[in-house]
Amino acid sequence: MRISLKKIVTAAMLAALTVALSGFYIPIGVSKCYPIQHMVNVLCAVFLGPGYGVMAAFCTSLIRNLMGTGSLLAFPGSMVGALLCGLAYRWTGKLAAAYASEIIGTGIIGAMLCYPVAAILMGKEVALFFYVAPFLMSTLC
């Protein structure tokens, strides 16, 4: 991956926008729906590529956690969604593939990757598919 200062700055600005607008969320069951995060994942994937999308998702999750407004579960969900979204757009060049990959990446795979985070790091005993329904509903919104 060739590093571009213009892309780094754009990814940083999108991450900052996501953090600034993270006060807007929709509560769905045990999770909170952050529609701006999903939108930024798709924007980064389409305009910047998968690597920059993952970096922006990581920075957003890190800043939210440092501010006390996020959860450790944001890391696997947002990063996997951004990665799959970027790869799908790169391979197909179609926006529909990017949207579907964001839904699959965040809603299903990212939610399943939250199981070890919740069990090991957060000490919560939950089922493997416990987070799939809330994450899927959040992503679909």
Side-chain angles (χ1 to χ4, degrees):
M1 177 171 92
R2 211 172 112 228
I3 297 174
S4 165
L5 183 61
K6 186 176 182 179
K7 287 185 178 185
I8 290 173
V9 171
T10 305
M13 287 173 38
L14 286 170
L17 177 71
T18 306
V19 171
L21 295 176
S22 66
F24 170 68
Y25 65 90
I26 303 163
I28 299 177
V30 296
S31 72
K32 295 176 183 175
C33 173
Y34 291 100
I36 304 300
Q37 178 67 56
H38 303 294
M39 179 189 72
V40 167
N41 280 353
V42 174
L43 287 174
C44 282
V46 171
F47 293 118
L48 305 175
Y52 292 100
V54 171
M55 287 189 297
F58 174 80
C59 289
T60 301
S61 298
L62 181 65
I63 293 168
R64 278 188 188 151
N65 275 283
L66 291 174
M67 289 174 41
T69 60
S71 165
L72 290 177
L73 304 178
F75 286 100
S78 64
M79 292 171 63
V80 172
L83 178 66
L84 288 183
C85 190
L87 291 175
Y89 186 76
R90 179 180 284 171
W91 290 332
T92 65
K94 298 188 184 295
L95 288 175
Y99 302 148
S101 296
E102 170 67 16
I103 292 168
I104 293 168
T106 299
I108 299 171
I109 298 170
M112 289 173 59
L113 288 174
C114 285
Y115 170 74
V117 173
I120 297 168
L121 298 177
M122 298 171 71
K124 294 184 178 181
E125 288 296 322
V126 295
L128 175 62
F129 296 102
F130 180 76
Y131 294 108
V132 171
F135 273 48
L136 203 54
M137 290 179 0
S138 170
T139 308
L140 288 171
C141 285

Coordinates of all heavy atoms in Angstrom, one line a residue, residues 26 29 31 37 39 43 63 66-67 70-71 77 91 97 99 102 110 119-120 126 128 130-131 140:
I26 N -29.0 5.5 17.8 CA -30.4 4.9 18.0 C -30.2 3.7 18.9 O -29.5 2.8 18.5 CB -31.0 4.6 16.6 CG1 -31.0 5.8 15.7 CG2 -32.4 4.0 16.8 CD1 -31.2 5.5 14.3
G29 N -32.0 -2.6 21.5 CA -31.6 -3.7 22.4 C -30.5 -3.3 23.2 O -30.4 -2.3 23.9
S31 N -27.5 -2.8 22.1 CA -26.5 -2.0 21.3 C -27.0 -0.7 21.0 O -28.2 -0.4 21.2 CB -26.1 -2.8 20.0 OG -27.1 -2.7 19.1
Q37 N -21.1 5.9 11.7 CA -19.9 5.0 11.6 C -20.0 4.1 10.3 O -19.1 3.9 9.6 CB -19.8 4.1 12.8 CG -18.7 3.1 12.8 CD -17.3 3.7 12.8 OE1 -17.0 4.5 13.7 NE2 -16.5 3.5 11.8
M39 N -21.8 4.8 7.6 CA -21.6 5.6 6.4 C -20.1 6.0 6.2 O -19.7 5.9 5.0 CB -22.4 7.0 6.7 CG -22.3 7.9 5.5 SD -23.0 9.5 5.8 CE -21.8 10.2 7.0
L43 N -17.8 5.2 2.9 CA -17.1 6.4 2.3 C -15.6 6.1 2.2 O -15.0 6.3 1.1 CB -17.4 7.7 3.0 CG -18.8 8.3 2.8 CD1 -19.0 9.5 3.7 CD2 -19.0 8.6 1.4
I63 N -10.6 6.6 19.9 CA -11.0 7.9 20.5 C -12.2 7.8 21.4 O -12.3 8.3 22.5 CB -11.1 8.9 19.4 CG1 -9.7 9.2 18.8 CG2 -11.7 10.2 20.0 CD1 -9.8 10.0 17.5
L66 N -11.3 6.1 24.6 CA -10.6 7.0 25.5 C -11.5 8.1 26.1 O -11.2 8.6 27.2 CB -9.4 7.7 24.7 CG -8.3 6.7 24.3 CD1 -7.3 7.4 23.4 CD2 -7.6 6.1 25.5
M67 N -12.5 8.5 25.3 CA -13.4 9.5 25.9 C -14.5 8.9 26.8 O -15.2 9.7 27.5 CB -14.1 10.2 24.7 CG -13.3 11.1 23.9 SD -14.0 11.8 22.4 CE -15.7 12.2 22.9
G70 N -17.4 5.0 24.2 CA -17.4 3.8 23.3 C -17.3 2.5 24.1 O -17.3 2.5 25.3
S71 N -17.2 1.4 23.4 CA -17.1 0.1 24.0 C -16.0 -0.7 23.2 O -15.7 -0.4 22.1 CB -18.5 -0.6 23.8 OG -18.3 -2.0 24.1
G77 N -16.2 -4.9 15.3 CA -17.3 -4.6 14.4 C -16.9 -3.6 13.3 O -17.1 -3.9 12.1
W91 N -12.6 -5.0 -5.6 CA -12.7 -6.2 -6.5 C -13.8 -6.0 -7.5 O -13.7 -6.5 -8.6 CB -13.0 -7.5 -5.7 CG -11.8 -7.9 -4.9 CD1 -10.5 -7.7 -5.2 CD2 -11.8 -8.7 -3.7 NE1 -9.7 -8.2 -4.2 CE2 -10.5 -8.9 -3.3 CE3 -12.8 -9.2 -2.9 CZ2 -10.1 -9.6 -2.2 CZ3 -12.4 -9.9 -1.8 CH2 -11.1 -10.1 -1.4
A97 N -22.0 -3.9 -3.8 CA -21.1 -4.8 -3.1 C -20.5 -4.2 -1.8 O -20.3 -4.9 -0.8 CB -20.0 -5.3 -4.1
Y99 N -21.9 -1.9 0.1 CA -23.0 -1.8 1.1 C -23.2 -3.2 1.7 O -23.3 -3.4 2.9 CB -24.3 -1.4 0.5 CG -24.3 0.0 -0.2 CD1 -25.1 0.2 -1.2 CD2 -23.4 1.0 0.3 CE1 -25.1 1.5 -1.9 CE2 -23.4 2.2 -0.3 CZ -24.2 2.5 -1.4 OH -24.2 3.7 -2.0
E102 N -20.4 -4.2 4.0 CA -20.5 -3.5 5.3 C -21.5 -4.3 6.2 O -21.3 -4.5 7.4 CB -20.9 -2.1 5.1 CG -21.3 -1.3 6.4 CD -20.1 -1.1 7.3 OE1 -18.9 -1.3 6.9 OE2 -20.3 -0.8 8.5
G110 N -18.2 -9.2 12.3 CA -17.7 -8.4 13.4 C -18.4 -8.7 14.7 O -17.8 -8.7 15.8
A119 N -16.0 -12.0 26.2 CA -15.7 -13.1 27.2 C -14.3 -12.9 27.9 O -14.3 -13.1 29.1 CB -15.7 -14.5 26.5
I120 N -13.3 -12.6 27.1 CA -12.0 -12.6 27.7 C -11.7 -11.2 28.3 O -11.2 -11.1 29.5 CB -10.9 -12.9 26.6 CG1 -11.1 -14.4 26.2 CG2 -9.5 -12.7 27.2 CD1 -10.3 -14.7 25.0
V126 N -21.5 -14.6 27.4 CA -22.6 -14.5 26.4 C -22.4 -15.6 25.3 O -21.3 -16.2 25.2 CB -22.6 -13.1 25.7 CG1 -22.9 -12.0 26.6 CG2 -21.2 -12.9 25.0
L128 N -22.2 -17.1 21.4 CA -21.4 -16.7 20.3 C -22.2 -15.8 19.4 O -21.7 -14.8 18.9 CB -20.9 -17.9 19.5 CG -20.2 -17.7 18.1 CD1 -18.9 -16.9 18.4 CD2 -19.9 -19.0 17.4
F130 N -24.8 -13.9 20.3 CA -25.5 -12.9 21.1 C -25.5 -11.5 20.4 O -26.5 -10.8 20.5 CB -24.9 -12.8 22.5 CG -25.6 -11.9 23.4 CD1 -26.8 -12.2 24.0 CD2 -25.0 -10.6 23.7 CE1 -27.5 -11.3 24.8 CE2 -25.7 -9.7 24.5 CZ -26.9 -10.1 25.1
Y131 N -24.4 -11.1 19.9 CA -24.3 -9.7 19.3 C -24.7 -9.6 17.9 O -24.8 -8.5 17.3 CB -22.9 -9.2 19.5 CG -22.5 -9.0 20.9 CD1 -21.6 -9.8 21.5 CD2 -23.0 -8.0 21.7 CE1 -21.2 -9.7 22.9 CE2 -22.7 -7.8 23.0 CZ -21.8 -8.6 23.6 OH -21.4 -8.5 24.9
L140 N -28.0 -2.4 9.4 CA -29.1 -2.2 8.4 C -29.8 -0.8 8.5 O -30.2 -0.3 7.5 CB -30.2 -3.3 8.6 CG -29.7 -4.7 8.1 CD1 -30.8 -5.8 8.5 CD2 -29.5 -4.7 6.6

